[in-house]
């Protein structure tokens, strides 16, 4: 590939349009701040997030304690940064689960008519539950570990992803080039992999970026309610739940992790909006 | 119209059947012995055996399933382990509280969401439009319990205008109800108002580009009449479809909002049930709430068909 080819390649054109989308760039920056903090946690927050130091308790944010300390004198800087690591871990795991199983279920249901009815009824049933309620009930059943929270969120949100993939596959299956490939004797696997799924990627990518935000938010909600990862695990929801008691004396215990959560969700929402505008302008706002 | 209703109810039946099957299966997904998990760490073998026979867990699974459906047909969802009363009674006691709060939040959502969406569309690409959309984006990205906590810090702790939580029934003291419900309702409504504002704006923009709007403007009709009668009436049809989603999100949001503000609704009931391993309550509450949502969605679809004469769900 020489210089010219690279510049005219469609992927570069898309990237160029994304870089001109100001809100997308803002979203990427906000998300990158959190992601980089999460990756660099052992270096930028070397203090153990669970290290107790009662003599330092309830210190407001200062030079010594950037984000202040909590009721046990734990450094909120460490707890919030390590909390970012857990949020990113859970968010990206849920995205991977959705990308794999959502695509698989959506492609099978959209492509093989005889599978469609059965798969989509189960899908509809899972989507009929209020999302947070189902997630809470599943963690109640499985247990309150990080792995169980990931499984619960995967179960709650994969049907939504499957439905989006299925909608694209149904449209693409009827396209003439796909019909031509079938007539030429291509196998189902090859048609799905080579001809249908690559063209179904745009709505999927948009969905996954919003899903990342929703997963981070729902995880925080679960741990805030006390049904997520068990304290003293430093998740943003846990920190805020513990800070509730001291809301009038030490409001920073709640305000700072909440702000981190909001920056993450806002960044991902802006990023998702930008991707949708550029990759798939036909898509409307998806709640 | 009856045809639409019939078709939608018929379509909902398999969904409800699978929903009830999933809720039934939940107790069997508990790793290890469900009876031991319910009884807790300090339970004796005898207590565990009692729970097992009370819940029928000692019977074959198919028998349990049969009893589950027979009891469902009688409106019997079992007994809450924590409260000692039937799950149905506990849910119905709490339901009005959640419905009143949700209705309040829905009214706020419609006023804020529709209002700002319409204004943003009419003033497209001005600072008003941009400000409205920035606010909508913040509303969507602000976790409802964080907004609730910030409001508690500001309005309850610092200013002392509103109570930090608690609940006064609407029919006993409407003023007290407003005082205790306003912060929870706002924290619930912000996300939904943001969603609705964005959808309303894009739908309105699409409608305003139509030829008949240009015709109406060219005829010299007053702007107000064009916007309200020609544009909004048609924009409302696609907006109706998201009302179902909004109501589902309201119920999800109520779980955390009720817990945060100590409001004794269904959300708080279910969170307590989960925390105290009251599985019959979790199963029954989840099933009833979901069934209610399915019914509401059927209602929304019927309204949709009533609003839009083109939709007949035929063929």
């Amino acid at each position: 590939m020489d210089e010219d080819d690279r510049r005219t390649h469609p992927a570069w054109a898309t990237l160029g349009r994304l870089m001109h989308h100001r809100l997308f760039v803002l979203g990427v920056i906000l998300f990158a701040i959190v992601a980089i903090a999460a990756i660099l946690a052992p270096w930028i927050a070397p203090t153990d997030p669970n290290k107790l130091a009662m003599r330092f308790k309830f210190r407001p944010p200062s030079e010594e304690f950037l984000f202040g300390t909590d009721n046990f004198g734990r450094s909120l800087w460490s707890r919030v940064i390590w909390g970012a690591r857990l949020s990113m871990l859970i968010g990206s795991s849920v995205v991977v689960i959705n990308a794999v199983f959502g695509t698989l279920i959506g492609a099978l249901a959209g492509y093989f008519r005889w599978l469609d009815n059965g798969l989509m009824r189960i899908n509809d049933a899972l989507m009929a539950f209020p999302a947070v309620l189902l997630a809470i009930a599943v963690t109640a059943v499985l247990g309150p570990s990080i792995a169980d929270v990931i499984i619960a969120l995967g179960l709650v949100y994969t049907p939504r992803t499957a439905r989006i993939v299925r909608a694209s596959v149904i449209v693409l299956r009827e396209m003439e080039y796909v019909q031509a490939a079938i007539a030429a004797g291509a196998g189902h696997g090859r048609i799905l992999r080579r001809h249908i799924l690559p063209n179904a990627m745009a709505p999927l990518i948009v969905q996954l970026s919003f899903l990342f935000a929703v997963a981070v938010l729902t995880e925080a909600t679960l741990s805030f309610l006390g049904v997520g990862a068990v304290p003293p695990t430093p998740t943003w929801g846990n920190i805020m739940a513990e800070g509730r008691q001291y809301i009038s004396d030490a409001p920073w215990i709640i305000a700072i992790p909440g702000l981190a959560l909001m920056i993450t969700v806002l960044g991902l929402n802006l990023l998702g909006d930008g991707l949708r505008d550029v990759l798939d302008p036909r898509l409307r706002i998806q709640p | 119209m009856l045809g639409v209703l019939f078709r939608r109810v018929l379509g909902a039946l398999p969904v409800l059947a699978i929903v009830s099957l999933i809720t039934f299966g939940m107790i069997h997904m508990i790793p290890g012995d469900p009876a031991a998990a319910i009884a807790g760490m300090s339970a004796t073998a005898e207590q565990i055996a009692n729970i097992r026979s009370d819940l029928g867990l000692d019977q074959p699974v198919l028998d349990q399933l049969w009893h589950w459906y027979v009891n469902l047909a009688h409106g019997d969802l079992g007994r809450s382990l924590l409260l000692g009363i039937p799950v149905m009674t506990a849910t119905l006691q709490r339901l009005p509280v959640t419905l009143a709060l949700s209705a309040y939040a829905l009214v706020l959502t419609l006023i804020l969401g529709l209002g700002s969406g319409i204004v943003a569309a009419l003033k497209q690409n001005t600072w008003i439009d941009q400000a409205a959309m920035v606010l909508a984006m913040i509303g969507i990205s602000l976790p409802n319990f964080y907004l609730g906590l910030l409001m508690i810090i500001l309005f309850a702790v610092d200013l002392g205008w509103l109570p930090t939580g608690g609940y006064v029934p609407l029919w006993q003291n409407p003023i007290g109800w407003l005082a205790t419900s306003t912060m929870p309702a706002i924290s619930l409504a912000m996300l939904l108002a943001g969603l609705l504002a964005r959808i309303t704006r894009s739908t309105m923009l699409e409608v305003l580009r139509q030829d008949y709007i240009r015709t109406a403007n060219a005829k010299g009709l007053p702007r107000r009449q064009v916007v309200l009668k020609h544009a909004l009436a048609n924009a409302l049809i696609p907006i109706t479809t998201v009302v179902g989603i909004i109501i589902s999100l309201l119920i999800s949001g109520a779980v955390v909002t009720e817990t945060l503000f100590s409001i004794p609704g269904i959300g708080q009931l279910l969170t307590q049930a989960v925390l105290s391993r009251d599985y019959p309550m979790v199963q029954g509450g989840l099933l009833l709430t979901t069934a209610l949502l399915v019914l509401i969605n059927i209602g929304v679809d019927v309204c949709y068909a009533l609003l839009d004469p083109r939709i007949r769900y035929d063929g």
Side-chain angles (χ1 to χ4, degrees):
Chain A
M1 202 191 277
D2 64 26
E3 196 74 356
D4 263 8
D5 278 352
R6 217 173 290 159
R7 233 175 269 141
T8 50
H9 192 273
W12 285 101
T14 307
L15 196 65
R17 267 181 305 180
L18 280 172
M19 286 302 128
H20 282 98
H21 196 294
R22 276 184 300 173
L23 289 175
F24 172 82
V25 175
L26 178 64
V28 170
I29 293 172
L30 291 178
F31 180 66
I33 292 173
V34 182
I36 291 170
I39 293 166
L40 297 182
W43 293 278
I44 56 175
T47 315
D48 179 354
N50 291 327
K51 186 185 160 208
L52 308 179
M54 293 307 282
R55 66 204 152 105
F56 294 133
K57 69 177 181 181
F58 295 130
R59 293 285 175 89
S62 65
E63 256 175 62
E64 192 185 356
F65 297 102
L66 214 48
F67 286 174
T69 61
D70 67 4
N71 49 317
F72 292 119
R74 292 174 295 196
S75 155
L76 278 174
W77 169 258
S78 277
R79 289 184 71 69
V80 170
I81 301 267
W82 285 86
R85 213 171 159 95
L86 279 175
S87 287
M88 291 294 124
L89 171 74
I90 290 171
S92 49
S93 308
V94 174
V95 164
V96 170
I97 290 176
N98 269 262
V100 174
F101 292 100
T103 306
L104 191 69
I105 296 167
L108 290 177
Y111 190 76
F112 297 108
R113 280 159 203 252
W114 54 275
L115 272 172
D116 191 25
N117 226 323
L119 283 176
M120 281 305 115
R121 284 300 83 75
I122 298 173
N123 227 44
D124 286 348
L126 282 169
M127 284 170 69
F129 291 102
V132 173
L133 228 51
L134 182 60
I136 291 176
V138 175
T139 51
V141 167
L142 294 178
S145 76
I146 291 169
D148 293 323
V149 170
I150 292 173
I151 294 173
L153 295 180
L155 184 76
V156 170
Y157 293 112
T158 302
R160 290 161 168 80
T161 308
R163 182 154 278 282
I164 286 171
V165 175
R166 170 183 173 271
S168 315
V169 172
I170 284 181
V171 173
L172 292 166
R173 187 188 55 191
E174 302 304 325
M175 293 277 186
E176 275 170 10
Y177 74 93
V178 174
Q179 296 298 325
I182 295 173
H188 293 313
R190 184 181 166 81
I191 290 173
L192 271 172
R193 258 181 295 120
R194 291 290 303 256
H195 300 294
I196 291 186
L197 286 180
N199 289 309
M201 281 300 116
L204 178 66
I205 291 170
V206 173
Q207 156 74 4
L208 291 179
S209 60
F210 289 125
L211 176 79
F212 201 127
V214 171
V216 168
L217 197 55
T218 313
E219 184 279 323
T221 306
L222 293 184
S223 42
F224 182 73
L225 289 173
V227 296
V230 202
T233 313
T235 67
W236 291 338
N238 278 345
I239 304 171
M240 291 167 83
E242 287 171 26
R244 251 180 93 186
Q245 266 181 280
Y246 315 104
I247 192 165
S248 43
D249 302 321
W252 60 87
I253 304 179
I254 285 168
I256 292 171
L259 196 64
L261 178 58
M262 191 185 153
I263 289 174
T264 314
V265 175
L266 180 64
L268 284 163
N269 279 340
L270 289 172
L271 199 153
D273 268 6
L275 283 173
R276 188 197 55 223
D277 289 349
V278 171
L279 291 180
D280 199 345
R282 285 162 308 164
L283 278 182
R284 289 267 196 78
I285 294 159
Q286 296 253 347
Chain B
M1 199 44 52
L2 279 175
V4 175
L5 189 63
F6 183 68
R7 231 177 276 264
R8 285 297 282 110
V9 171
L10 213 62
L13 288 179
V15 170
L16 283 176
I18 300 171
V19 162
S20 58
L21 200 60
I22 294 172
T23 17
F24 165 78
M26 262 177 179
I27 205 159
H28 298 278
M29 276 162 53
I30 300 172
D33 180 1
I38 293 166
M41 297 283 204
S42 55
T44 61
E46 195 188 346
Q47 283 171 319
I48 295 176
N50 277 340
I51 287 177
R52 190 176 295 129
S53 72
D54 278 355
L55 296 179
L57 291 169
D58 47 357
Q59 293 165 19
V61 173
L62 279 180
D63 283 7
Q64 290 182 40
L65 185 63
W66 169 248
H67 283 300
W68 167 254
Y69 278 112
V70 168
N71 289 339
L72 264 188
H74 291 94
D76 177 7
L77 288 163
R79 197 169 269 277
S80 159
L81 300 172
L82 183 68
L83 304 169
I85 54 171
V87 167
M88 189 66 112
T89 315
T91 312
L92 291 180
Q93 273 173 3
R94 305 290 195 101
L95 191 61
V97 176
T98 301
L99 287 182
L101 175 63
S102 302
Y104 188 6
L106 191 61
V107 170
L108 291 179
T109 303
L110 292 175
I111 295 172
L112 290 172
L114 284 178
S116 57
I118 293 168
V119 172
L122 293 177
K123 307 273 179 193
Q124 195 192 0
N125 298 331
T126 63
W127 69 270
I128 298 175
D129 178 22
Q130 281 170 357
M133 287 305 108
V134 167
L135 276 180
M137 192 68 201
I138 292 174
I140 291 171
S141 307
L142 199 61
N144 59 5
F145 58 95
Y146 185 47
L147 178 62
L149 286 163
L150 291 180
M151 283 195 292
I152 290 177
I153 293 177
L154 181 63
F155 295 112
V157 177
D158 282 357
L159 298 170
W161 290 353
L162 292 167
T164 52
Y167 186 73
V168 180
L170 174 61
W171 40 94
Q172 278 178 19
N173 178 356
I175 303 290
W177 178 79
L178 266 184
T180 50
S181 301
T182 297
M183 286 200 292
I186 292 175
S187 75
L188 268 176
M190 274 302 276
L191 164 77
L192 305 167
L195 283 177
L196 188 60
R198 283 154 57 103
I199 294 165
T200 306
R201 177 181 179 272
S202 61
T203 316
M204 277 296 277
L205 284 177
E206 217 163 90
V207 172
L208 287 171
R209 273 198 295 269
Q210 302 292 318
D211 287 341
Y212 64 84
I213 297 292
R214 197 180 324 135
T215 311
N217 278 326
K219 279 200 298 192
L221 289 182
R223 183 78 176 144
R224 170 184 294 269
Q225 196 181 341
V226 176
V227 168
L228 292 180
K229 278 192 76 177
H230 294 72
L232 187 60
N234 285 295
L236 276 179
I237 297 167
I239 292 171
T240 320
T241 53
V242 298
V243 171
I245 296 168
I246 284 182
I247 291 171
S248 173
L249 288 172
L250 262 181
I251 305 279
S252 270
V255 176
V256 60
T257 310
E258 288 177 358
T259 307
L260 175 59
F261 288 96
S262 340
I263 293 174
I266 288 192
Q268 196 202 42
L269 179 70
L270 287 180
T271 312
Q272 279 169 351
V274 166
L275 290 173
S276 51
R277 301 190 153 269
D278 184 353
Y279 288 101
M281 189 68 239
V282 175
Q283 285 177 299
L286 191 63
L287 182 57
L288 278 177
T289 321
T290 309
L292 186 71
L293 270 180
V294 170
L295 286 180
I296 290 173
N297 272 306
I298 292 177
V300 169
D301 276 5
V302 171
C303 291
Y304 188 39
L306 279 172
L307 278 173
D308 190 344
R310 285 170 304 180
I311 296 162
R312 282 287 169 256
Y313 293 95
D314 295 330

